[in-house]
Structures are given as structure tokens and as C-alpha cells.
Amino acid sequence: KAGVTQTPRYLIKTRGQQVTLSCSPISGHRSVSWYQQTPGQGLQFLFEYFSETQRNKGNFPGRFSGRQFSNSRSEMNVSTLELGDSALYLCASGLTMRETQYFGPGTRLLVL
Amino acid sequence: ELKVEQNPLFLSMQEGKNYTIYCNYSTTSDRLYWYRQDPGKSLESLFVLLSNGAVKQEGRLMASLDTKARLSTLHITAAVHDLSATYFCAVDLSHSRSGGSQGNLIFGKGTKLSVKP
């Protein structure tokens, strides 16, 4: 069974630009969560989706948004990028929100 | 704010030695995960501990959960170099509706383990 996939794997952007990251969950999984990982702040929760609905949202500014499609694939968007948005963005999927979450390889974003 | 504290944050040990990583958390939960992360890589699920007193073992790693003490441990037996990585514990709040803006998985800061030959 294929694991969680994330695209792109690496991304370089400049301040002010916007970016869209994609996550394809494990087949059959309907829950998708997003996390931001930085050396200083560690792993911080961004959003959680289940059945195309956002169930939880972390304490991030409105520049961070996301959505989930009917096939459970999810995207997150960051607008007006700032230097501090440089991070590893991890997506995790689970059968439901209460089942083990399996993480994808991540998208490493560098904002210059 | 709900907190998950791991200690130590850095651990340097010699091959063949034993050591324990501790994970304390500040809220009620009966489910806890341990993950491993290699440099530049994603998180790999190691153990899921589902109830008080749960103990899981895989190779040289053994994890346990004491929900009354709000404590989980990850014990390393006879460490080998291949175990060098960062280990995270994560408390699952999905059963208690306490996730909210912190989400359902609250992670510790991680323990960076370096095993030297």
C-alpha cells in the first residue's frame, strides 16, 4: 500500500509570494492533518480535515489556509510568504481523526 | 495550554548502554505515540500505546504508558549506532475533545539521540 505522498518535496520562494502544497493520503484514509516543523518551534499543528471539512485549526495567521477534496487529497496554501514560514511542512493521514496518523515525507519550503 | 515535556532533549550514549527517555504530559489522555525522525526525513511511527499499563517492544526499544502518572517512557537497551535519530512522543487528545487549536496530536520537543561506537 502506498504511503502518504507530498508534492513538491522542495520549494524555494521569495517573500510576498504564495505557495500551494499538496498531500495525497494513504488509500482509504479520510483524515488529513498538516504540521509545520521548525528548529525553534518544533512541530506545530496547522489544520485537520475529515470528509472535506476542517475540523480543527491551529494558531496560525489567516495567510495559512487549506482544503480537502472529495478524494481526501488535501492542499494547503500560504499567501504573502514571510521568511519565518521557512519550514518542513508535514502532512499526516489516518482512517479517521482518532486513528494512528501516518506522516508523509514532507515539503521543505525555503523563503528568501 | 496543554504541554508535553520530553527529557532529556539531547542524549549522547555509547553503544551497548541502556537509557530511558521520559515523556510527561499535562492532561488526561489514554493514547500516546512514539515517532522516530531521521535528519531531513519525515516521522516514522514506532509505537501506539492505547491504555494504562500498555507496554510495547520492538527490537531494542520498549515503550510504556502510565496514564495515572501522565508519563510514558521509551527505554533503549544495548544501544547501537542505527538508533541515532530524534524521538518524539505525541499525546493523542482526539478522544477527549481537547484538541482545539493545538490539534489532536500534541508533540514533545523531541529527544535527539546520538549513539557513538
Side-chain angles (χ1 to χ4, degrees):
Chain A
K1 207 175 197 179
V4 179
T5 58
Q6 292 186 246
T7 56
R9 295 291 310 280
Y10 304 93
L11 206 48
I12 299 176
K13 292 286 187 178
T14 56
R15 280 179 299 175
Q17 288 187 307
Q18 75 166 16
V19 66
T20 298
L21 311 181
S22 180
C23 171
S24 292
I26 292 171
S27 177
H29 285 192
R30 296 167 62 192
S31 167
V32 173
S33 300
W34 289 90
Y35 295 84
Q36 181 196 65
Q37 186 178 28
T38 58
Q41 299 298 318
L43 281 150
Q44 291 187 286
F45 169 74
L46 281 158
F47 329 95
E48 179 173 46
Y49 291 90
F50 183 77
S51 294
E52 303 178 66
T53 301
Q54 188 179 91
R55 305 292 176 153
N56 277 318
K57 185 179 191 303
N59 290 324
F60 278 80
R63 300 185 295 108
F64 291 80
S65 62
R67 58 179 174 169
Q68 187 180 33
F69 302 96
S70 58
N71 62 358
S72 295
R73 189 177 70 84
S74 178
E75 289 182 346
M76 67 164 281
N77 184 277
V78 188
S79 62
T80 320
L81 283 166
E82 301 178 358
L83 296 179
D85 297 333
S86 295
L88 178 66
Y89 290 87
L90 293 165
C91 160
S93 79
L95 284 169
T96 70
M97 295 191 301
R98 298 181 176 187
E99 299 295 327
T100 299
Q101 301 293 303
Y102 295 91
F103 283 81
T107 294
R108 189 164 295 279
L109 171 65
L110 177 61
V111 181
L112 302 176
Chain B
E1 183 179 283
L2 308 168
K3 292 185 178 179
V4 180
E5 295 184 349
Q6 278 183 245
N7 68 83
L9 296 182
F10 298 93
L11 178 55
S12 179
M13 53 191 300
Q14 286 189 315
E15 282 190 330
K17 298 293 185 182
N18 304 334
Y19 208 83
T20 300
I21 299 170
Y22 297 89
C23 174
N24 292 273
Y25 53 97
S26 63
T27 190
T28 303
S29 174
D30 60 1
R31 181 179 292 213
L32 185 141
Y33 298 85
W34 283 95
Y35 288 92
R36 168 181 171 147
Q37 187 176 40
D38 291 295
K41 305 291 186 182
S42 186
L43 296 171
E44 174 192 354
S45 177
L46 293 174
F47 300 109
V48 180
L49 300 169
L50 299 176
S51 61
N52 186 41
V55 177
K56 294 274 186 77
Q57 182 163 7
E58 180 72 34
R60 300 175 188 273
L61 300 178
M62 183 173 72
S64 66
L65 178 62
D66 181 344
T67 58
K68 293 179 181 177
R70 299 181 183 175
L71 171 69
S72 180
T73 61
L74 180 65
H75 186 72
I76 303 156
T77 301
V80 292
H81 180 67
D82 286 352
L83 289 179
S84 297
T86 299
Y87 293 85
F88 292 91
C89 65
V91 176
D92 187 341
L93 300 179
S94 63
H95 293 258
S96 65
R97 301 186 184 177
S98 300
S101 64
Q102 288 186 278
N104 288 331
L105 277 185
I106 313 300
F107 285 87
K109 289 192 177 297
T111 296
K112 186 171 183 179
L113 172 64
S114 175
V115 180
K116 301 181 178 180

